């Protein structure tokens, strides 16, 4: 029996496993060289005031185009980069590039735009993060409040000994700290009191069920209540319809991000979007 099961297992799974293994090796080999080959770029998605459409800030999102693999989603390759450790160098490039872009926009007289950067779990644990952020801000003469770092609940849950020191260091720089995809992992509510967090981003899946799914709507409402009670800023991700926008405004949510307003844009297109939406002098 064991033998037959074993053989079936082989027959059923080996080709698939082999293909996955091959893909993984391929992706990781290309990933290793991608930074030096200049294959990454950042695009920027506006976060807008739901009431008047003004741009409040932008989220920088990485894009990777590779000659052999084509365009890969960050949902996929960020995980590989976490496994190999390449994420630390890539993440450093992201912070540096976003800061340079912000400085360039300011020089061009464009008011915004606090820029939010995603920081992966592994990158968050490196000792270099705080000095790296400090250096990027200084080189580009940016006050810390213009940079926002988004990280996931995993950072809070694993509670590594260095986490608190890192948060403290970032807070001293004035950097804005936000929990991304809130509600998607295990929500670590107790950490919301202990760490210097500024805001939450409601994970997309909950809004996807609105309108129609009552439990999704209830979760959105509950998260809005938590944010309000704790004085945290709340951003809704994945706003795709005006019904969703109105629902959020009814909950007192002020800021949203999603295809209803704009997808992520190249820097020039983002600047054009700012001009077109009549960005006020300062969004801070
Ligand atoms: P995220 O940080 O939660 O980013 C939001 C994702 O939702 C982005 O996908 C964005 O394009 C997408 N999105 C925005 N509005 C809508 C909408 O209305 N509907 C739908 N269906 N989707 C919307 P993207 O750019 O593919 O990024 C996926 C994830 O990859 C990000 O999720 C983030 O976790 C990760 N990521 C992206 N860039 C970076 C980076 O520079 N560093 C790290 N560590 N992770 C990154
Ligand atoms: Mg994010
Ligand atoms: Mg998110
Ligand atoms: Mg996400």
């Amino acid at each position: 029996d064991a033998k037959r099961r074993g053989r079936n297992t082989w027959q059923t799974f080996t080709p698939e496993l082999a293909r996955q293994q091959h893909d993984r090796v391929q992706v990781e080999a290309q990933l290793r060289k991608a930074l030096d080959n200049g294959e990454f770029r950042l695009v920027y998605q506006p976060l807008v005031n739901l009431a008047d459409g003004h741009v409040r800030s932008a989220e920088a999102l990485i894009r990777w185009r590779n000659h052999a693999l084509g365009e890969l989603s960050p949902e996929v390759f960020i995980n590989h980069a976490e496994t190999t450790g390449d994420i630390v160098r890539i993440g450093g490039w992201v912070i540096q590039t976003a800061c340079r872009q912000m400085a360039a926009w300011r020089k061009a007289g464009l008011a915004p735009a606090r820029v939010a950067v995603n920081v992966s779990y592994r990158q968050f644990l490196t000792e270099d993060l705080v000095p790296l952020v400090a250096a990027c801000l200084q080189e580009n003469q940016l006050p810390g409040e213009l940079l926002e770092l988004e990280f996931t609940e995993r950072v809070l849950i694993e509670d590594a000994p260095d986490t608190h020191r890192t948060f403290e260091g970032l807070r001293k720089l004035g950097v804005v700290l936000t929990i991304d995809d809130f509600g998607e992992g295990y929500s670590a509510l107790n950490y919301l009191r202990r760490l210097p967090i500024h805001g939450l981003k409601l994970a997309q899946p909950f809004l996807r069920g609105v309108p129609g799914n009552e439990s999704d709507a209830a979760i959105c409402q509950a998260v809005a209540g938590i944010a309000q009670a704790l004085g945290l800023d709340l951003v809704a991700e994945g706003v795709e319809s005006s019904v969703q926008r109105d629902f959020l405004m009814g909950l007192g949510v002020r800021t949203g991000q999603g295809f209803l307003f704009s997808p992520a844009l190249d820097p020039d297109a983002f600047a054009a979007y700012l001009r077109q939406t009549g960005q006020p002098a300062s969004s801070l």
Side-chain angles (χ1 to χ4, degrees), residues 59 150 180-181 201 237:
E59 178 173 8
E150 297 185 5
D180 203 356
D181 303 332
K201 296 183 81 172
E237 299 191 79

Side-chain angles (χ1 to χ4, degrees), residues 55-266:
V55 178
R56 191 200 76 163
S57 59
E59 178 173 8
L61 294 161
I62 195 167
R63 295 292 177 262
W64 178 28
R65 188 174 296 154
N66 175 270
H67 61 92
L69 302 168
E71 179 108 18
L72 277 88
S73 162
E75 302 275 17
V76 175
F77 73 79
I78 292 290
N79 284 334
H80 287 286
E82 289 244 11
T83 310
T84 61
D86 287 314
I87 189 64
V88 176
R89 253 174 15 108
I90 295 171
W93 175 87
V94 171
I95 293 173
Q96 195 171 49
T97 305
C99 286
R100 284 190 188 144
Q101 185 61 64
M102 225 183 321
W105 278 328
R106 275 155 67 88
K107 214 169 272 173
L110 287 164
R114 172 186 294 155
V115 174
V117 167
N118 294 284
V119 177
S120 89
Y121 170 71
R122 176 113 177 224
Q123 191 187 1
F124 198 89
L125 292 186
T126 64
E127 285 177 12
D128 297 345
L129 183 63
V130 175
L132 177 93
V133 168
C136 288
L137 291 172
Q138 202 191 7
E139 268 167 38
N140 294 285
Q141 301 183 315
L142 297 168
E145 312 88 75
L146 286 184
L147 182 66
E148 178 172 343
L149 300 183
E150 297 185 5
F151 49 87
T152 59
E153 288 163 290
R154 183 171 176 198
V155 169
L156 307 176
I157 288 146
E158 310 248 336
D159 197 26
D162 293 339
T163 304
H164 290 251
R165 205 180 325 131
T166 301
F167 270 100
E168 214 31 58
L170 293 170
R171 195 189 58 81
K172 285 203 186 109
L173 293 172
V175 168
V176 176
L177 299 168
T178 300
I179 302 177
D180 203 356
D181 303 332
F182 185 76
E184 205 164 57
Y186 333 70
S187 300
L189 296 180
N190 55 328
Y191 293 108
L192 294 180
R193 300 180 299 159
R194 287 207 274 132
L195 295 169
I197 308 295
H198 297 85
L200 309 176
K201 296 183 81 172
L202 174 65
Q204 227 174 79
F206 304 119
L207 193 57
R208 209 173 290 146
V210 172
N213 186 316
E214 282 178 25
S215 47
D216 284 352
I219 290 172
C220 292
Q221 186 170 12
V223 173
I226 290 169
Q228 199 164 31
L230 295 176
L232 298 168
D233 195 33
L234 180 65
V235 172
E237 299 191 79
V239 185
E240 294 185 350
S241 71
S242 48
V243 175
Q244 291 172 336
R245 180 195 55 204
D246 295 346
F247 168 79
L248 291 164
M249 286 174 69
L251 297 181
V253 179
R254 295 219 297 270
T255 311
Q257 173 181 1
F259 298 157
L260 175 65
F261 309 105
S262 171
L265 303 165
D266 288 334

Side-chain angles (χ1 to χ4, degrees), residues 35-48:
L35 197 56
D36 293 331
N37 289 346
E39 294 172 3
F40 295 116
R41 67 184 202 286
L42 294 184
V43 290
Y44 298 85
Q45 186 176 34
L47 275 68
V48 312

